Amino acid sequence: MKSKILFITLCICLNIPLNAQMFEITPDIATCTQGKISAEVRDSVLALLNQIRAVHKLNPVTWNDIGEDLAQAASLSIANSGIMVHTPVADNCATPSSDSGRKYSNISLGLYRSRDMSDIDKLFNSTIALLGWLTDNKNVADLSMVGHRRMLLSPFLQTVGFGAVKANLNATNARYAAALWGNTKENLDTSTCPNNYVAYPYEEYKSEWFNKKFYLSLNLIPKSNKPFTSISYDFSKCNISITDEKGRKYKASGIKYSTKIDEYADTFYCGLSNNLCWKVNGLKDNTKYFVAISGLVFEGEEQVIEYWFILDKPIPPKVVRKRRR
């Protein structure tokens, strides 16, 4: 039987299927029971997020129990109402906690329709959701802002909390909702972040962590080591050069940038308040690319940022067939 899923991304999820084992206390929209994720889910979310951050040379984040509660409350409200927004929604499962969770979290909503509900949990898991959010190519607000990616990769991100809810609406329809609440630190220990920028993708990067048809990005880290201050950025005259390991040149297209503090696009002050992004046609797996960005004016000084990346994808072994005589 055919089934389909519509997944709108503003979220991060766990690295296991959303099934009964996911919850310590199972959520229920009929009774507005908030529920609680299991310890296995918590550990899985944290491990996957920190694995990604480590590649970017960013400090690991830790778990926040209060943040988990806010994210779980937001997930319940989203699953019940079917409305995915960062502002309060008047539904019967809404609470001050869900309002706060909506505002200060990345959120997601998945809609599933099928005549056969037995395989529903296989179509919504953390790998699909997290990587979709990391690429941010389904951002319903503004694709070029990649705000959800910027939250994941913020050097100021300190603690997180995750929540999720599955709601079976009837025999053929279900909703999934998830939220990742984040808290930033006021000052950055520069020893935990050796670069003055966050580039995506960066160095040895798993191919499944990047969508070749979507935006690459660069965010500069303020010298003041404070996440949101009035800093002078100017990306208007930047030049982006991309070459591969054989010296072939690639054109950066669709260049867009933002240099102002925008509380909505910056996930309410969870992501860095500057963003440069572009697309590149023809990128391939297992090829090393060199990026040089010049003409960046940052805090009154012109800078050149250089780095490399390779989209690492394991090559399956060749099957050797024996000839029969």
Side-chain angles (χ1 to χ4, degrees):
M1 295 182 181
K2 292 184 178 180
S3 61
K4 63 179 181 179
I5 185 168
L6 169 63
F7 181 60
I8 305 172
T9 302
L10 280 162
C11 74
I12 180 174
C13 295
L14 31 152
N15 201 22
I16 61 174
L18 283 173
N19 53 31
Q21 298 178 352
M22 171 184 173
F23 301 105
E24 182 179 317
I25 302 173
T26 303
D28 182 12
I29 62 172
T31 60
C32 289
T33 300
Q34 181 172 297
K36 183 178 177 63
I37 61 171
S38 66
E40 291 78 10
V41 168
R42 178 199 64 206
D43 294 343
S44 179
V45 170
L46 204 56
L48 185 54
L49 179 54
N50 282 331
Q51 181 186 7
I52 293 170
R53 290 177 63 84
V55 175
H56 291 271
K57 295 181 169 59
L58 298 173
N59 56 289
V61 297
T62 57
W63 198 256
N64 189 304
D65 291 333
I66 295 176
E68 177 190 326
D69 184 72
L70 296 175
Q72 189 65 32
S75 299
L76 181 68
S77 175
I78 294 168
N80 183 61
S81 65
I83 301 174
M84 184 183 60
V85 294
H86 288 290
T87 52
V89 171
D91 77 276
N92 62 310
C93 291
T95 63
S97 291
S98 68
D99 292 346
S100 180
R102 281 177 177 268
K103 182 176 182 179
Y104 295 105
S105 302
N106 284 340
I107 56 178
S108 73
L109 176 64
L111 307 176
Y112 180 89
R113 300 180 182 90
S114 176
R115 293 181 180 180
D116 181 5
M117 301 293 280
S118 63
D119 63 347
I120 182 171
D121 295 320
K122 300 176 183 178
L123 300 179
F124 189 87
N125 58 60
S126 72
T127 300
I128 295 172
L130 175 56
L131 300 187
W133 189 40
L134 181 65
T135 61
D136 219 1
N137 63 323
K138 295 182 181 179
N139 185 338
V140 298
D142 186 341
L143 292 174
S144 66
M145 295 302 294
V146 293
H148 311 97
R149 176 194 303 171
R150 287 156 62 189
M151 177 185 174
L152 278 182
L153 302 182
S154 171
F156 294 94
L157 188 63
Q158 185 174 23
T159 64
V160 297
F162 177 82
V165 170
K166 182 183 77 171
N168 291 329
L169 305 179
N170 50 47
T172 59
N173 293 272
R175 290 189 189 128
Y176 287 114
L180 180 76
W181 177 93
N183 181 45
T184 57
K185 61 182 75 175
E186 293 184 359
N187 295 286
L188 177 66
D189 180 0
T190 55
S191 66
T192 66
C193 189
N195 297 327
N196 67 341
Y197 61 88
V198 179
Y200 169 90
Y202 183 71
E203 295 193 351
E204 293 187 6
Y205 218 68
K206 290 189 176 183
S207 180
E208 61 265 29
W209 292 1
F210 178 71
N211 185 323
K212 299 181 186 69
K213 296 182 180 180
F214 203 60
Y215 288 106
L216 297 79
S217 61
L218 179 80
N219 309 113
L220 301 178
I221 301 173
K223 292 180 181 179
S224 63
N225 299 327
K226 293 183 180 295
F228 296 98
T229 54
S230 297
I231 299 172
S232 173
Y233 301 96
D234 185 359
F235 297 158
S236 63
K237 298 179 181 179
C238 72
N239 179 67
I240 303 173
S241 171
I242 306 106
T243 58
D244 66 15
E245 55 196 357
K246 295 183 179 180
R248 290 174 293 204
K249 296 181 179 180
Y250 295 77
K251 181 180 179 180
S253 62
I255 299 173
K256 296 186 178 182
Y257 57 87
S258 173
T259 56
K260 65 178 181 179
I261 295 176
D262 183 329
E263 67 173 18
Y264 184 79
D266 299 334
T267 320
F268 290 95
Y269 307 118
C270 284
L272 288 173
S273 59
N274 68 88
N275 181 58
L276 174 67
C277 62
W278 64 96
K279 297 179 180 180
V280 180
N281 290 327
L283 295 178
K284 297 180 180 179
D285 293 330
N286 303 315
T287 298
K288 193 171 187 177
Y289 296 95
F290 301 90
V291 180
I293 305 175
S294 59
L296 296 169
V297 179
F298 180 38
E299 297 184 340
E301 298 179 3
E302 186 169 331
Q303 293 196 13
V304 176
I305 302 292
E306 296 181 332
Y307 63 95
W308 60 271
F309 69 88
I310 182 170
L311 303 176
D312 185 22
K313 186 174 184 178
I315 301 174
K318 293 183 179 180
V319 177
V320 179
R321 295 181 180 180
K322 294 182 179 180
R323 295 182 178 181
R324 294 182 179 181
R325 295 182 178 179

